[in-house]
Amino acid sequence: MDRLKLSLRGALLAAPFVLWGGNALGRDDGRYASSPLKPWFDSLRSHLGPCCSDADGFAVSDPDWESHNGHYRVRLDGEWVDVPDEAVITEPNRAGRTMVWPVKTAFGVSIRCFMPGSMI
């Protein structure tokens, strides 16, 4: 029983670091280093934090996102995920395409940033 309590205590102490580390990791691999939009992508932020860069997000085709009553949802890995209002980027979309920055944790997928496109 003491061993179980000790294991549980260790897991609870480690959980915040594991979850925080998953959110902080970016993968800027240099693909967009020469893009004129790189500084703009690097500066993007939602109310949930920085979006990181174009390499961390990806474009979403029109059938994989929708808007209803001022709220958004996006299809990721075949599942619809509601976009929190705090994740929506409200500045003009210079890229033109819909972008999403998902964060995958042990508890599922959440959206860090979402930038709607033209939907035409």
Side-chain angles (χ1 to χ4, degrees):
M1 188 66 154
D2 289 333
R3 188 178 289 165
L4 178 62
K5 286 182 182 178
L6 193 56
S7 295
L8 183 58
R9 183 178 297 160
L12 289 174
L13 289 173
F17 296 106
V18 171
L19 295 176
W20 174 77
N23 289 342
L25 296 176
R27 35 176 234 273
D28 185 1
D29 59 8
R31 280 184 284 178
Y32 304 101
S34 61
S35 169
L37 291 179
K38 183 175 179 6
W40 175 72
F41 273 112
D42 288 343
S43 71
L44 287 177
R45 299 183 57 84
S46 72
H47 290 290
L48 298 176
C51 302
C52 294
S53 70
D54 193 23
D56 294 312
F58 59 89
V60 180
S61 60
D62 286 345
D64 291 326
W65 72 282
E66 61 186 23
S67 174
H68 182 69
N69 291 333
H71 302 282
Y72 298 97
R73 68 182 194 150
V74 62
R75 188 180 2 232
L76 299 172
D77 298 327
E79 300 287 327
W80 285 100
V81 178
D82 291 325
V83 175
D85 292 339
E86 304 83 41
V88 177
I89 298 171
T90 57
E91 71 176 78
N93 183 340
R94 293 185 193 177
R97 61 194 189 265
T98 302
M99 301 281 301
V100 65
W101 286 259
V103 176
K104 296 180 181 183
T105 69
F107 301 108
V109 177
S110 63
I111 306 296
R112 168 58 87 52
C113 298
F114 177 79
M115 185 170 47
S118 60
M119 204 175 199
I120 56 172

